[in-house]
Amino acid sequence: MRDDLPLEPVPDPRAASDEAAAIDRRLAARLAALRQEHGLSLDALAAASGISRPTLSRLERAETSPTASLLGRLCTVYGRPMSRLLAEVEADPAEVVRHAAQAVWVDPETGFRRRGVSPPARDFSVELVHGTLPAGASIAYAAPPVGGLEHHLWMLAGRLDLALDGIVHALLPGDCLRYRLAGASRFTSPGPDEARYLIAIGRP
């Protein structure tokens, strides 16, 4: 099955590296600000998130890139979806964001690519995210960042095994799964091709 969305272009390595570094710096500053806004010390955040104090310190100094798993734990502590956190590091919100200008975040651990399709905005309750999970990769989240998040996941290509509270949904191109995120979840791309999908995320 073909879809009418463009495939991810092959990025210029130098430009991609510069953009990734810029995103990491903005994300590090936002994570540090969130910790201060919540009145948490590094030790308190380590206890709440299960992430070691040295790792948290390196994240806030942009000395290491956060993985999807680490961001998921921090978002749970701060009570905000990952999509909102990443939108908050976008400098210039706009009503229209062309494909070439949409922010792409890459998980350094799994190679998962998250493209923010919706123009970044803090005042809207629904966001659209395009995900690409390489064949053989898997991402697990122990808990949702915000209980009751509404997801509409539409498969574009490949296969995705989505486990929600122990129940696995095998999704193929054209399938759409609607659910409220309340517990643990795991996204797995069994292959042989990468899994590509859109998720509409609605905050409760």
Side-chain angles (χ1 to χ4, degrees), residues 59-164:
L59 288 176
E60 292 188 4
R61 296 198 303 267
E63 294 178 356
T64 186
S65 298
T67 65
S69 177
L70 291 180
L71 284 181
R73 294 186 192 181
L74 292 173
C75 285
T76 299
V77 174
Y78 295 137
R80 66 212 317 109
M82 190 185 302
S83 56
R84 181 180 174 190
L85 172 63
L86 294 175
E88 288 172 345
V89 302
E90 292 302 307
D92 300 307
E95 292 184 356
V96 176
V97 177
R98 306 301 177 188
H99 182 265
Q102 292 166 1
V104 177
W105 177 77
V106 181
D107 178 8
E109 185 176 60
T110 64
F112 168 69
R113 295 174 63 84
R114 177 202 179 279
R115 174 179 290 274
V117 179
S118 299
R122 302 185 187 187
D123 299 328
F124 288 79
S125 60
V126 177
E127 297 169 86
L128 194 60
V129 172
H130 179 236
T132 303
L133 189 60
S138 182
I139 301 176
Y141 301 98
V146 178
L149 280 176
E150 183 178 354
H151 283 195
H152 296 245
L153 189 154
W154 182 37
M155 280 299 298
L156 301 176
R159 172 178 166 174
L160 182 72
D161 289 347
L162 176 54
L164 300 170

